[in-house]
Amino acid sequence: MSQERQTFLVSPQFDRMRLDSFLAAQTDMPARSACAKYIERGCVEINNTEALSKAEHVRLGDRVSIVVETQQKPTVIMPNPQIPLDVRYEDEYLLVISKQKGLVCHPSSGHIDDTLANALVAHCGFDHLGKLQGDDRPGIVHRLDMDTTGLMVAAKDNETQEQLQDLIRLRDFDRRYLALVQGYVSPDEGTITTGIARSKKNRLKMCVSKDPLSRQAITTFKTLDRFEASAHDDGYSLLECHLYTGRTHQIRVHMRYTGHCLVGDPLYGKVGERINLHLKRQFLHSWHINFDHPITHEHIELFDTLPSDLYTALINLRPRSMGETSWGAILYNKLNIQ
């Protein structure tokens, strides 16, 4: 089956209706239960932003689009061998890559053939990638934001993809990120547990929410280093963040919630070149993954050094260090940072 996108405008009679009910009420749309499955698979957008729950309420003037299956011959994602693919581990079941900044994980509006999915198809072939996330997301197990860099895993078949997703759900897939944040983080370690939902003020953003429909998000952190304040900023802290859940923009939202926005974050952060250390993107890097291979049971542990822009920002801050913690000393040694 192929896919087709349809878009509907929310008129007055549908204002504040549940999303799945709204879709089911439209001409040529499937039943409500089928619409709910499309929403769960990430096939529905409200005002060009992915809907996260079938229970979201649409509002007057919203544009709701849905990608539905049709009976025509499927359109296979085109391979793009021009996109560099930095492979750190590979076997017949899966591969681990280091994603570069500026690379979107799968096709979306404005990104048709320049995504990680296109690069994976060029490397593995469309028929040799898992399709559980949909034909438009071959191989994708978990995602990184466009300008978040670092390690992520892709699956070459549905069984491996399903088992990797189970590892993530069961919290047996260890993902750790390096994050440079604004201000002085006092605790040496901590846990942030909140609900996260789509912002009602700006649908491009997520936010901490107590709404019953929000999704639980858990982030733990260790403080690695702290940097003195100057006349132009409030200082900085380098953290290692450990994800127990994988919500959209989770670390970025949690850091804003604590009052320590990610340096350079264009969506959730503070504005100002000096306080953002001349970075044009968020300082967030997936530097460490650790899991047992779901098929071969081999233990896989990989580390990824900082890309040049983040490395330069951190090196320039080093003279302002107030003294790294014991965890920071270990990390600096692994990253070969003096």
Side-chain angles (χ1 to χ4, degrees):
M1 302 180 79
S2 63
Q3 297 178 329
E4 176 182 79
R5 181 179 294 277
Q6 297 191 40
T7 302
F8 306 100
L9 182 67
V10 178
S11 54
Q13 68 266 36
F14 298 116
D15 186 28
R16 298 181 184 277
M17 181 179 282
R18 274 175 57 120
L19 178 57
D20 54 352
S21 299
F22 168 77
L23 287 170
Q26 307 309 304
T27 303
D28 296 329
M29 283 291 101
R32 177 175 165 180
S33 59
C35 289
K37 290 181 179 178
Y38 277 120
I39 296 166
E40 291 173 357
R41 287 162 47 191
C43 300
V44 177
E45 294 182 349
I46 302 177
N47 300 327
N48 297 319
T49 303
E50 182 182 324
L52 297 182
S53 170
K54 63 185 179 183
E56 286 192 56
H57 290 80
V58 298
R59 296 179 182 273
L60 179 64
D62 281 347
R63 289 190 177 276
V64 180
S65 65
I66 179 172
V67 177
V68 295
E69 295 176 343
T70 67
Q71 296 297 325
Q72 301 173 1
K73 185 178 179 179
T75 300
V76 176
I77 289 184
M78 294 300 295
N80 188 339
Q82 302 303 314
I83 300 174
L85 199 61
D86 186 356
V87 179
R88 302 300 179 86
Y89 174 92
E90 183 173 13
D91 63 16
E92 61 183 299
Y93 305 104
L94 60 84
L95 65 161
V96 180
I97 62 105
S98 176
K99 188 184 84 65
Q100 61 268 42
K101 66 179 179 180
L103 184 63
V104 175
C105 283
H106 55 75
S108 59
S109 178
H111 296 278
I112 304 302
D113 58 4
D114 59 349
T115 73
L116 174 61
N118 298 103
L120 288 172
V121 170
H123 183 78
C124 301
F126 183 79
D127 294 331
H128 299 285
L129 290 166
K131 309 295 192 312
L132 292 183
Q133 296 275 13
D135 286 351
D136 62 335
R137 303 181 183 189
I140 301 298
V141 175
H142 61 109
R143 292 175 288 175
L144 296 178
D145 296 337
M146 179 175 71
D147 282 327
T148 298
T149 50
L151 299 171
M152 58 184 297
V153 65
K156 293 186 176 183
D157 59 71
N158 286 350
E159 180 185 357
T160 303
Q161 189 175 30
E162 181 177 26
Q163 293 198 38
L164 285 168
Q165 290 172 342
D166 286 344
L167 288 179
I168 291 174
R169 280 192 289 269
L170 295 171
R171 301 173 184 172
D172 290 329
F173 189 101
D174 193 333
R175 295 170 287 169
R176 297 177 187 266
Y177 295 73
L178 292 179
L180 185 68
V181 301
Q182 309 280 357
Y184 182 96
V185 176
S186 179
D188 283 348
E189 58 183 320
T191 301
I192 307 165
T193 303
T194 71
I196 285 183
R198 182 76 60 189
S199 170
K200 295 179 180 178
K201 297 180 179 179
N202 182 348
R203 292 199 61 81
L204 294 177
K205 289 185 174 183
M206 308 300 292
C207 66
V208 167
S209 173
K210 294 182 179 179
D211 190 298
L213 298 176
S214 65
R215 305 181 71 184
Q216 185 190 50
I218 304 173
T219 306
T220 66
F221 69 88
K222 293 179 179 178
T223 304
L224 306 175
D225 204 348
R226 303 177 178 93
F227 305 93
E228 292 179 336
S230 75
H232 307 295
D233 58 63
D234 296 324
Y236 303 91
S237 298
L238 181 66
L239 309 179
E240 181 190 66
C241 295
H242 180 199
L243 286 181
Y244 283 91
T245 55
R247 309 307 177 203
T248 300
H249 299 173
Q250 179 173 320
I251 294 175
R252 299 166 70 184
V253 171
H254 272 170
M255 290 302 105
R256 178 182 176 89
Y257 173 68
T258 63
H260 299 285
C261 301
L262 287 177
V263 172
D265 193 328
L267 192 59
Y268 299 98
K270 296 181 179 180
V271 177
E273 188 176 73
R274 288 183 176 179
I275 63 172
N276 284 309
L277 307 176
H278 305 287
L279 288 174
K280 304 300 183 184
R281 65 171 176 112
Q282 63 269 12
F283 194 120
L284 187 61
H285 180 67
S286 172
W287 90 283
H288 179 206
I289 61 172
N290 183 10
F291 65 100
D292 288 332
H293 194 299
I295 308 299
T296 67
H297 307 296
E298 174 189 358
H299 183 69
I300 297 174
E301 184 173 18
L302 296 169
F303 302 90
D304 192 14
T305 56
L306 286 170
S308 59
D309 59 339
L310 305 188
Y311 178 84
T312 298
L314 184 58
I315 288 297
N316 288 341
L317 269 182
R318 287 287 284 152
R320 293 167 58 181
S321 172
M322 302 171 68
E324 65 264 25
T325 64
S326 57
W327 294 306
I330 294 171
L331 179 134
Y332 283 146
N333 182 59
K334 286 184 179 295
L335 295 181
N336 196 27
I337 293 176
Q338 303 301 319

